[in-house]
Amino acid sequence: MATKLVKRLRLVGSAVPIQYDGPTIMVDRLIPWRDWIPKGWIAEEAPLSDDDLVKNEINSVLSNSHVDWVKKSFLINVSFDSTSAKTAALMANTLADVYIENDLESRLQMTQKASSWLADRIKGLRSKLEASERVLQQFRDKEKLVDAKGVALGISGQLNVQASAMVAAHQKVAELENSYRQVQAILKGQSQATLDSIPAVLRSPSVIPRKTAEAEAERRLSELSNRYGANHPKIIAAESDLRAARENTRNMVNSVVSSITREYEVAKATEQAMQKSLDNSKMKIQDMSRKEFQLATLERDVQNNRQIYDLFVNRAKETGATQGLQSAVARVVDPAVITTHPIKPRKTLIVSMSLIGGLLLSIMLAVILDRLNNTIRNGEDVATKLEVPLLGFLPLVPGKHRNFEIQREILDNFDPAFSESVRTLRTGLLMSAIDNPHKVILVTSSFPEEGKTSVSMNLAFALAKLKRTCLIDADMRRPSIYKAMEADGNSAGLSNLVADTDPVAKCVHQHASGLFYIPSGPVPPNPSELLSSRRFADVMEKLESMFDVILIDSPPVQLVSDAKILASVANALVFVVRADSTPYKVAKGALDQLSNSKAQLLGVVLNRLDVAKAERYYGYGTHMSYGGKYEYYKSYGYYGGNKT
């Protein structure tokens, strides 16, 4: 169709004038869907052959044509993309016309081919039909079949009569056979019975009167014997009558026995003759059935060939009759009109979809990043992921603090929010055990750089204002408290005290704020053995008698075993987690390792919490304002902890 469309609109050929919204120009090729560029405005290219021009135009028509089916209808929407509204309408309408004409031509060609094929096929079918009819007639003549069904029906009736007679003959032979066998057994001496005891003889009408007469003669003889002697004439006459009666009975019994033998033999012969006649009738039926089956097969072949032949003849007649009455399978319902509005690019839709797509992509990216974040982000994560109470939090203080400002922040008080959080944490510790205050509190974390030293030092400074407090630096591998206290690194400390190389007075130092602290001292070869010694337990007992509260800054749980050893001598445990940094599985594992110690877990301190971010994204529930004067609107809520 694309080729016919190109030829019909003369898209390839000599120069043709084209009218559009502008001056009339002459082009070498009519390409209505392209922008017209007059000659000389672009560089000349090598001319293409006619075949190449036709191929290019056909490809262009195919790429710009669109045919869509209108759902739930029998309509097809034909459209064409072009930079010219007139060209788009012309191409769409012409494409529809070409399709209808092409369909008519194709159907006409198919009809002509079908007619020719049907004519050739009918000749072969006619020959096949005639051959099958000849075979059928030859079979009828050979087998002399006039009415196969009637003959079969007659033989079948005769067979039924013979079968009934055969059944009667069988019954009669069965009835005579028993009597015959009894007679033969007696005659051959195989039985002790007499012939007159056979049931068939006893039931015979000829024997019964004679038996009666014999019985009567015996009765008369018996009566006369009671009156007269043996030589009396009446006795002699009665005996003569009895002998005659018995002779008559014997003769009749023999006659009946002979009759039984003859009847049985006749019945047996009749049965055999009837069986032979029945077998002959069955053979005739079987032979007739075979002939009838062959006849039915030949008749069926003739019938099938005749039906196929008639079908093709009728089809050929219909094809010849409708050859000149071809109707189009389609018609143009709504021709294309020249539109005044372009269909693309749809700038408003593109911009709107871009904005919506960008918004959805941003939301999806935010959700994915939120799902991929496996850290502890707020107090709710502490309660749900770690399943432990939140003791408090310390807000994030922006900036770099290289001179331990964060560790001493509550003393300098340069960030009121941070100082207030430390006081809230102190209140939570004190109120967690009012009746039985915790003497030894261990502060630890999962990994380094989570802020446990900052928490322990600020908490120690805050507790020192209320109670006699001592801070112990038990992190002998990476000690840092002495630096924050601006003390000498070689000063005596915990290692000296446990090793008993220096007295308590030399190892315990006092800060200007009133806080007592014990630095780590010289680093021992094996800190774990030193902390697990009996001497360390004795030192802790002595220190408990000297101070109200003892805070121990412990190494991280996941790196060394020191924290688990220290937890065995502490009364309470404070676990530090860095917000938006510590994976919850790591923190959960560290807490599981400390769960077997005697130290009671007071809760988790969420360190370096970005309050503004938590309130904005997670709804943490804190409200602060900074602007020269610090305003405290609401206590920093801690999930599961105690409020002051």
Side-chain angles (χ1 to χ4, degrees):
M1 290 192 297
T3 304
K4 292 183 178 180
L5 180 64
V6 170
K7 293 180 179 180
R8 173 169 296 189
L9 295 182
R10 296 182 296 171
L11 301 183
V12 179
S14 60
V16 178
I18 301 301
Q19 290 286 346
Y20 71 105
D21 297 337
T24 302
I25 62 174
M26 300 293 292
V27 294
D28 289 336
R29 292 187 298 138
L30 177 57
I31 311 177
W33 59 92
R34 298 180 181 174
D35 294 331
W36 301 112
I37 302 177
K39 290 184 178 180
W41 287 25
I42 59 175
E44 294 291 338
E45 298 180 356
L48 299 175
S49 63
D50 293 340
D51 293 339
D52 293 336
L53 292 176
V54 172
K55 291 180 180 179
N56 291 340
E57 299 309 324
I58 291 175
N59 293 333
S60 181
V61 169
L62 294 176
S63 61
N64 290 278
S65 301
H66 305 284
V67 179
D68 302 314
W69 172 56
V70 180
K71 293 183 178 180
K72 298 182 180 180
S73 68
F74 295 97
L75 300 178
I76 296 177
N77 184 26
V78 180
S79 60
F80 193 87
D81 296 340
S82 175
T83 56
S84 171
K86 295 180 180 179
T87 301
L90 176 62
M91 294 295 290
N93 291 329
T94 306
L95 185 61
D97 295 338
V98 169
Y99 170 75
I100 295 173
E101 294 175 2
N102 186 69
D103 176 72
L104 289 174
E105 294 176 359
S106 300
R107 294 174 66 189
L108 180 59
Q109 293 176 359
M110 291 299 296
T111 302
Q112 293 174 350
K113 291 181 180 179
S115 299
S116 177
W117 181 82
L118 287 173
D120 296 337
R121 184 63 176 164
I122 287 173
K123 294 179 181 178
L125 292 175
R126 184 185 298 111
S127 301
K128 188 175 182 180
L129 175 60
E130 293 174 352
S132 61
E133 289 176 344
R134 284 195 300 271
V135 172
L136 175 60
Q137 189 60 38
Q138 290 173 0
F139 179 77
R140 284 177 174 173
D141 296 340
K142 178 181 178 181
E143 300 297 337
K144 300 179 180 180
L145 297 176
V146 179
D147 185 6
K149 292 183 179 180
V151 174
L153 183 60
I155 297 176
S156 177
Q158 182 181 356
L159 181 63
N160 292 333
V161 173
Q162 291 176 348
S164 300
M166 187 67 189
V167 171
H170 277 303
Q171 292 177 352
K172 187 173 182 180
V173 170
E175 292 174 356
L176 296 174
E177 186 175 6
N178 187 30
S179 300
Y180 175 77
R181 288 181 179 179
Q182 291 177 356
V183 170
Q184 293 298 319
I186 294 172
L187 293 177
K188 293 179 181 180
Q190 298 176 355
S191 175
Q192 298 298 326
T194 58
L195 293 175
D196 55 357
S197 63
I198 298 174
V201 175
L202 294 176
R203 292 193 301 267
S204 175
S206 299
V207 176
I208 291 174
R210 288 166 175 77
K211 278 286 184 181
T212 304
E214 182 180 352
E216 181 65 22
E218 289 178 352
R219 185 183 63 78
R220 289 176 59 194
L221 178 62
S222 178
E223 290 178 354
L224 292 174
S225 297
N226 293 329
R227 292 181 183 182
Y228 305 106
N231 295 320
H232 195 276
K234 291 184 178 181
I235 294 296
I236 295 172
E239 289 177 352
S240 177
D241 292 340
L242 178 60
R243 286 193 295 271
R246 287 179 177 175
E247 184 66 24
N248 291 334
T249 300
R250 187 182 305 108
N251 293 332
M252 186 55 62
V253 168
N254 292 333
S255 177
V256 170
V257 169
S258 299
S259 176
I260 291 174
T261 302
R262 288 193 301 273
E263 288 181 1
Y264 173 75
E265 291 176 352
V266 171
K268 193 66 176 177
T270 303
E271 180 188 17
Q272 293 175 355
M274 294 184 67
Q275 182 65 45
K276 185 176 181 180
S277 177
L278 181 62
D279 292 340
N280 292 333
S281 299
K282 289 182 178 179
M283 292 178 62
K284 291 180 180 180
I285 286 290
Q286 293 176 353
D287 184 60
M288 183 57 65
S289 297
R290 286 192 294 269
K291 293 179 180 180
E292 186 178 4
F293 177 77
Q294 295 177 2
L295 180 63
T297 301
L298 296 175
E299 289 177 345
R300 186 166 52 252
D301 291 341
V302 172
Q303 183 179 4
N304 293 336
N305 293 334
R306 182 175 290 109
Q307 289 178 352
I308 296 174
Y309 175 75
D310 294 341
L311 178 63
F312 272 78
V313 170
N314 295 332
R315 186 60 179 172
K317 293 179 179 179
E318 293 176 0
T319 303
T322 58
Q323 185 171 356
L325 301 175
Q326 295 291 341
S327 60
V329 296
R331 62 185 179 88
V332 179
V333 178
D334 187 10
V337 296
I338 300 175
T339 181
T340 57
H341 302 286
I343 61 170
K344 62 181 181 180
R346 303 173 66 179
K347 298 180 181 179
T348 303
L349 179 60
I350 293 174
V351 173
S352 301
M353 294 300 294
S354 300
L355 292 176
I356 295 174
L359 179 61
L360 294 177
L361 183 61
S362 302
I363 294 174
M364 291 176 60
L365 183 61
V367 171
I368 292 174
L369 293 176
D370 182 72
R371 293 294 183 184
L372 293 177
N373 190 356
N374 63 343
T375 60
I376 306 298
R377 298 171 293 183
N378 49 38
E380 184 178 356
D381 287 349
V382 174
T384 57
K385 294 181 180 179
L386 299 183
E387 298 179 352
V388 295
L390 177 68
L391 187 62
F393 73 91
L394 297 181
L396 174 67
V397 180
K400 296 181 179 180
H401 309 283
R402 295 187 176 89
N403 296 323
F404 301 96
E405 293 90 342
I406 295 297
Q407 285 76 3
R408 300 190 303 269
E409 197 283 331
I410 193 171
L411 298 178
D412 301 335
N413 199 25
F414 65 86
D415 191 311
F418 189 92
S419 300
E420 188 63 27
S421 297
V422 174
R423 295 187 187 96
T424 302
L425 181 60
R426 177 191 63 184
T427 304
L429 284 176
L430 295 177
M431 297 189 68
S432 62
I434 299 177
D435 297 333
N436 187 18
H438 301 298
K439 293 283 290 184
V440 182
I441 302 174
L442 179 66
V443 181
T444 186
S445 64
S446 302
F447 287 122
E449 306 299 332
E450 292 192 71
K452 59 178 180 57
T453 301
S454 302
V455 173
S456 59
M457 289 190 65
N458 283 281
L459 188 58
F461 283 127
L463 288 171
K465 296 180 180 181
L466 302 178
K467 294 185 177 184
R468 185 178 174 83
T469 306
C470 179
L471 175 63
I472 300 177
D473 188 0
D475 190 357
M476 297 182 181
R477 291 175 173 81
R478 296 182 59 184
S480 59
I481 290 181
Y482 77 93
K483 297 179 183 179
M485 297 295 186
E486 298 178 351
D488 186 7
N490 296 322
S491 57
L494 181 62
S495 60
N496 304 94
L497 189 60
V498 176
D500 199 16
T501 58
D502 291 291
V504 176
K506 188 176 180 181
C507 296
V508 178
H509 306 270
Q510 186 175 13
H511 189 262
S513 62
L515 171 67
F516 294 92
Y517 68 94
I518 301 176
S520 63
V523 178
N526 195 339
S528 299
E529 294 182 359
L530 187 66
L531 295 176
S532 60
S533 64
R534 178 61 187 173
R535 176 62 184 170
F536 177 74
D538 296 339
V539 169
M540 292 302 300
E541 291 180 0
K542 186 175 183 180
L543 292 175
E544 288 182 18
S545 63
M546 297 172 58
F547 300 100
D548 298 330
V549 180
I550 299 175
L551 287 175
I552 302 177
D553 183 19
S554 167
V557 177
Q558 298 287 10
L559 298 184
V560 292
S561 61
D562 297 1
K564 291 182 282 186
I565 298 173
L566 293 170
S568 63
V569 299
N571 307 118
L573 175 64
V574 175
F575 194 78
V576 179
V577 175
R578 181 173 176 176
D580 291 321
S581 177
T582 304
Y584 76 91
K585 291 185 178 180
V586 174
K588 184 71 173 175
L591 290 172
D592 292 340
Q593 295 183 35
L594 296 172
S595 61
N596 296 327
S597 64
K598 75 172 186 177
Q600 177 187 355
L601 177 63
L602 300 181
V604 171
V605 176
L606 195 60
N607 190 32
R608 300 190 67 179
L609 175 66
D610 191 342
V611 180
K613 178 181 177 182
E615 184 177 341
R616 182 168 61 253
Y617 293 104
Y618 309 124
Y620 187 66
T622 57
H623 304 278
M624 306 175 185
S625 64
Y626 306 90
K629 180 180 179 181
Y630 170 73
E631 296 180 6
Y632 177 66
Y633 292 106
K634 186 178 181 181
S635 64
Y636 301 100
Y638 29 89
Y639 299 85
N642 297 311
K643 296 183 179 180
T644 59

